[in-house]
Amino acid sequence: MTIAVSPQALPALVLNADYRPLSYYPLSLWSWQDAIKAVFLDRVNIIAEYEHSVSSPSFSMRLPSVVCLKTYVQPSRNPAFTRFNVFLRDRFECQYCGAHDDLTFDHVTPRAHGGETTWENVVAACSPCNLRKGSKLPKQAGMFPAQRPYQPTVQDLHNNGRLFPPNYLHESWLDYLYWDTELQP
């Protein structure tokens, strides 16, 4: 699964004050209009620019391609329990068969058996597997998730998000993405 980014839209990569992206999936991008507004409101520093400029009768400026917030935004310690975050934790993959299409989520211990809708009981599942398992316990259905469901950290979701880069990454962004990978000599 990829997020579509249009290079013609000239988006700006948004970094936190520590020079890390605010998020990897979706990648923290602002429209060029929002980036310029933040520059004029003195909320960001421009780190890199596109060759393209915008002009008014009395002013001209190159469009920012990378901006850094002046004030650090504290990332949430616990990610929200959402369908998207469950899919991201499970790498957009059915935990029973490995399919990537027609995803929904499944209660490992079904609600009919007292299972709750929590990080520790919900996994990504394709519709056919979800229907096949139904309201049976894993042992009854003979279906066990590939990984035990768990409450991910923001870092877990960021790491998984790095596995699904957008279809377009501007060269000026590369020094700020995947910053924890080993550098080439």
Side-chain angles (χ1 to χ4, degrees):
M1 177 171 209
T2 60
I3 297 268
V5 175
S6 170
Q8 294 79 23
L10 301 171
L13 176 65
V14 183
L15 306 176
N16 209 338
D18 64 358
Y19 287 80
R20 296 185 203 178
L22 290 176
S23 70
Y24 281 95
Y25 201 85
L27 189 59
S28 52
L29 299 175
W30 284 351
S31 68
W32 66 266
Q33 296 92 333
D34 288 339
I36 287 177
K37 180 179 176 182
V39 168
F40 280 101
L41 291 173
D42 200 32
R43 294 182 180 156
V44 297
N45 291 316
I46 298 173
I47 306 300
E49 299 171 325
Y50 289 108
E51 294 297 321
H52 191 80
S53 297
V54 290
S55 302
S56 73
S58 61
F59 180 78
S60 180
M61 92 179 268
R62 288 175 45 180
L63 294 178
S65 64
V66 180
V67 295
C68 180
L69 299 177
K70 289 187 173 185
T71 305
Y72 183 76
V73 174
Q74 184 70 37
S76 172
R77 289 182 183 262
N78 299 314
F81 179 69
T82 64
R83 182 179 301 264
F84 180 84
N85 283 345
V86 168
F87 293 164
L88 184 56
R89 177 199 66 191
D90 294 345
R91 297 182 175 119
F92 297 95
E93 185 174 277
C94 174
Q95 293 300 291
Y96 299 112
C97 73
H100 295 277
D101 298 320
D102 200 15
L103 290 180
T104 182
F105 66 80
D106 176 61
H107 291 80
V108 177
T109 301
R111 289 186 288 182
H113 292 273
E116 297 179 353
T117 306
T118 63
W119 282 113
E120 294 79 12
N121 191 46
V122 171
V123 295
C126 67
S127 289
C129 285
N130 201 349
L131 287 171
R132 196 170 93 229
K133 181 173 172 286
S135 62
K136 299 175 194 148
L137 293 167
K139 191 172 184 177
Q140 293 170 324
M143 297 174 69
F144 300 92
Q147 82 176 355
R148 184 183 193 114
Y150 66 97
Q151 180 171 352
T153 63
V154 171
Q155 188 64 37
D156 292 333
L157 296 183
H158 278 246
N159 289 340
N160 286 355
R162 289 180 181 134
L163 301 173
F164 305 96
N167 62 327
Y168 170 76
L169 296 171
H170 189 265
E171 63 187 36
S172 66
W173 304 350
L174 299 180
D175 286 340
Y176 305 98
L177 297 175
Y178 319 112
W179 59 272
D180 57 352
T181 58
E182 190 173 324
L183 299 175
Q184 297 297 320

